[in-house]
Amino acid sequence: MAKESELQKLKQFDTYEEVKDSGRCTLSTRWVINNKDRATKARLVVRGFEEEYLMQKDSPTVGKGALRIFLAIASSQNWTIKTTDTMSAFLQGKKLKRDVYLKPPKKVTPLKE
């Protein structure tokens, strides 16, 4: 069920286009399964180390210093701090400016020829 849910999210956010295998260099994928809040979650991940492409390696997240400054300002202003989680945030990011070809995970029906 968790894998099917992840595949549905990938499709919902239009993250891929199926193409016939024409011998291009493809990257393999694998499933990462974990239990969180008594629910099983599955994530399909690409084995990016297989790609011969110089890319940004760090994530665009807030730094420790910026977070400390924010918390100090919030404290001095008596602001209430709340958190949130964006479901499937990485699926909603910017589109890649290059083509990447992936091998679908096992038990996923390939494109019909």
Side-chain angles (χ1 to χ4, degrees):
M1 179 68 179
K3 290 179 183 179
E4 290 84 7
S5 176
E6 176 70 356
L7 290 172
Q8 185 60 35
K9 286 179 189 175
L10 291 169
K11 188 172 189 171
Q12 175 186 345
F13 289 108
D14 196 28
T15 60
Y16 67 92
E17 175 186 346
E18 288 188 63
V19 296
K20 291 182 182 178
D21 186 353
S22 59
R24 292 184 176 101
C25 180
T26 58
L27 304 177
S28 62
T29 56
R30 73 180 193 96
W31 288 106
V32 175
I33 311 293
N34 63 33
N35 294 313
K36 185 176 182 181
D37 300 327
R38 290 184 265 159
T40 301
K41 294 202 175 196
R43 294 291 173 256
L44 183 64
V45 296
V46 178
R47 303 177 98 194
F49 61 86
E50 297 174 344
E51 187 174 25
E52 293 180 17
Y53 178 81
L54 185 59
M55 68 180 85
Q56 179 180 346
K57 300 272 188 209
D58 58 333
S59 298
T61 58
V62 67
K64 191 184 297 186
L67 181 59
R68 287 181 178 170
I69 290 171
F70 169 75
L71 292 173
I73 292 170
S75 176
S76 70
Q77 298 294 317
N78 292 321
W79 293 345
T80 301
I81 306 296
K82 296 182 180 182
T83 63
T84 187
D85 185 22
T86 303
M87 297 292 292
S88 306
F90 285 102
L91 299 180
Q92 300 176 51
K94 294 179 184 177
K95 292 194 181 259
L96 293 178
K97 295 179 182 174
R98 67 187 193 285
D99 291 331
V100 177
Y101 298 94
L102 307 178
K103 296 174 194 167
K106 292 180 181 179
K107 298 185 181 179
V108 173
T109 307
L111 180 67
K112 305 251 192 264
E113 295 191 21

